[in-house]
């Protein structure tokens, strides 16, 4: 499976997910990164909403989260980030049919 196919599969799975993390005016801090890590360990795929009163845009926030948590941003659309853990991304990207 290519990275494009893995991205499609994860987006299909994320279609039914609710947003569980909100990034607001307080921005990114260690508590938020810990919460994202905990949710990724539990669910392996989460949605994050970057609110309009946040200092950064969604793409900048996604890059900062990737760097801090080691996760992979599957997709960024508008203010919504779909995030998965590295293990899920690697296993789907390397899967052969």
């Amino acid at each position: 499976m290519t990275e494009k196919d893995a991205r499609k599969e994860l987006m299909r799975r994320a279609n039914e997910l609710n947003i569980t993390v909100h990034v607001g005016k307080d921005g990114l801090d260690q508590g938020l990164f810990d919460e994202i890590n905990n949710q990724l360990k539990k669910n392996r795929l989460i949605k994050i909403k970057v609110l309009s009163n946040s200092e950064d845009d969604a793409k900048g926030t996604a890059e900062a989260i990737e760097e801090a948590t080691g996760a992979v941003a599957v997709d960024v659309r508008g203010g919504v980030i779909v995030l998965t853990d590295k293990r899920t991304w690697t296993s789907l990207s390397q899967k052969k049919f």
Side-chain angles (χ1 to χ4, degrees), residues 15-88:
N15 200 22
E16 298 175 7
L17 292 178
N18 292 323
I19 295 170
T20 56
V21 177
H22 296 273
V23 179
K25 64 183 176 183
D26 294 337
L28 301 170
D29 60 359
Q30 190 57 43
L32 188 65
F33 293 140
D34 292 342
E35 179 64 26
I36 291 169
N37 276 330
N38 288 338
Q39 288 193 22
L40 283 173
K41 284 179 187 175
K42 188 176 175 183
N43 301 324
R44 302 181 86 178
L45 185 67
I46 62 171
K47 279 186 180 178
I48 300 171
K49 173 75 174 174
V50 181
L51 302 176
S52 60
N53 62 354
S54 176
E55 295 175 4
D56 271 343
D57 63 336
K59 288 188 181 199
T61 302
E63 291 170 3
I65 291 171
E66 282 181 318
E67 187 177 308
T69 62
V72 177
V74 177
D75 192 35
V76 179
R77 291 188 189 179
V80 178
I81 303 167
V82 177
L83 200 68
T84 189
D85 62 341
K86 193 71 146 177
R87 183 177 54 177
T88 303

